[in-house]
Amino acid sequence: LMDAFVMAHRDKTARVVVLTASSTSFCAGADLKWMKKMVDYDYETNHKDAMQLALMLNQLYTLNKPTIARVNGAAFGGAVGLISCCDVAVSTKLSKFCLSEVLLGLAPATIAPYVIKAIGARNAKRYMLSAEVFSARRARRIGLLSEVVSEEDLDQTVTMFIQKFRAASPQALAMTKQLVDMCDGQNIDATLMQKTAATIATIRVSEEGQEGLNAFFTKRKANWQQD
C-alpha cells in the first residue's frame, strides 16, 4: 500500500484515490502470517515494523488529492484506521466495524491519531476499549463514515464524489486539505489569521487560481475540467 500511495501522490494525472477491496470484506484486520512472525520479534524489530505502518497511514492521510474509502464489507482493526485516513468514506448498510486489538492483548496504536480525529476521543475510548462490533449506521453517526448506502448504490455514490472532486482544481483541493489540518483544533488568533490569509493570497496568484477566476468570468470550463 505504501508504494501505491507514494505513486498516487506523485502522479499528476491521478485526480482521486479510491481505497477498496476486491473481496466481500473491506479488510478483516492484520495478516495472520504476519501476526505469527510478530510474536518472536524483539522491541527494535517491532518498533521498526510499527513505524512502517505509521508511515503508510500518514502517506494516505496526507495525500495531495482527495481520497475515498469504498467500504464493501467488514472492516476490523487496522481497516478502521485506513478508513479514518480517507477524506470521504462510503459504506454499504450491512458493513460491520470493530477495533478489536485489545482482545489480542494489543493496542490500536498507529491508527489511534486518525481514528480519534475521525470519531473523537470519547467514541474512540468506547470502541477501542470494548472491542464491540458496530454497524454502518452507528459508524455514520459517530463520524467514521460519510455516507451509508445500499450495496446497489455503492458505486453510484462513490462515482458522484469522484465527479465532484474532478470538477475542482487539483491545487485547490490539495491546499484545502492542508488548510483543514492547519485550522483544526487551533485558536482563531492573529497567527492563524495570517496563515489563512497567506493561503488564499498564494492560491489567488497561482496559475490554477488565475485560470479558475478567468474561466468563471469568461463563462467557460477551466482547463482541469476539459477531460
Side-chain angles (χ1 to χ4, degrees), residues 159-175:
T159 299
M160 178 269 292
F161 278 111
I162 292 173
Q163 291 172 342
K164 288 183 179 297
F165 294 146
R166 284 179 59 83
S169 153
Q171 176 186 256
L173 290 170
M175 292 185 71

Side-chain angles (χ1 to χ4, degrees), residues 41-205:
Y41 286 177
D42 58 16
Y43 173 83
E44 287 73 20
T45 308
N46 261 293
H47 186 270
K48 182 179 179 180
D49 182 81
M51 274 303 302
Q52 292 300 310
L53 177 57
L55 290 169
M56 181 271 287
L57 292 166
N58 190 252
Q59 182 68 44
L60 172 59
Y61 183 76
T62 58
L63 268 178
N64 58 354
K65 53 209 65 179
T67 54
I68 303 172
R70 176 188 176 276
V71 185
N72 56 326
F76 281 40
V80 178
L82 289 170
I83 295 168
S84 299
C85 287
C86 291
D87 302 315
V88 170
V90 182
S91 172
T92 60
K93 294 177 180 178
L94 298 180
S95 296
K96 299 293 184 182
F97 304 83
C98 182
L99 289 154
S100 54
E101 286 83 355
V102 294
L103 298 178
L104 302 175
L106 304 175
T110 54
I111 66 172
Y114 310 102
V115 174
I116 293 168
K117 268 185 172 291
I119 69 176
R122 185 74 167 178
N123 285 318
K125 282 186 176 181
R126 170 180 172 173
Y127 292 106
M128 288 179 178
L129 297 176
S130 69
E132 62 187 285
V133 177
F134 54 101
S135 67
R137 183 179 179 183
R138 179 64 182 168
R140 172 73 175 85
R141 192 178 305 139
I142 64 177
L144 181 63
L145 299 176
S146 311
E147 298 288 343
V148 175
V149 298
S150 66
E151 187 173 350
E152 294 76 17
D153 291 336
L154 180 61
D155 287 332
Q156 180 181 343
T157 306
V158 170
T159 299
M160 178 269 292
F161 278 111
I162 292 173
Q163 291 172 342
K164 288 183 179 297
F165 294 146
R166 284 179 59 83
S169 153
Q171 176 186 256
L173 290 170
M175 292 185 71
T176 299
K177 288 184 63 167
Q178 294 173 355
L179 178 67
V180 171
D181 284 330
M182 180 178 72
C183 295
D184 184 34
Q186 300 300 308
N187 293 324
I188 304 175
D189 55 16
T191 299
L192 186 61
M193 287 188 283
Q194 285 285 353
K195 289 180 178 179
T196 56
T199 297
I200 188 60
T202 299
I203 202 166
R204 279 176 183 165
V205 300

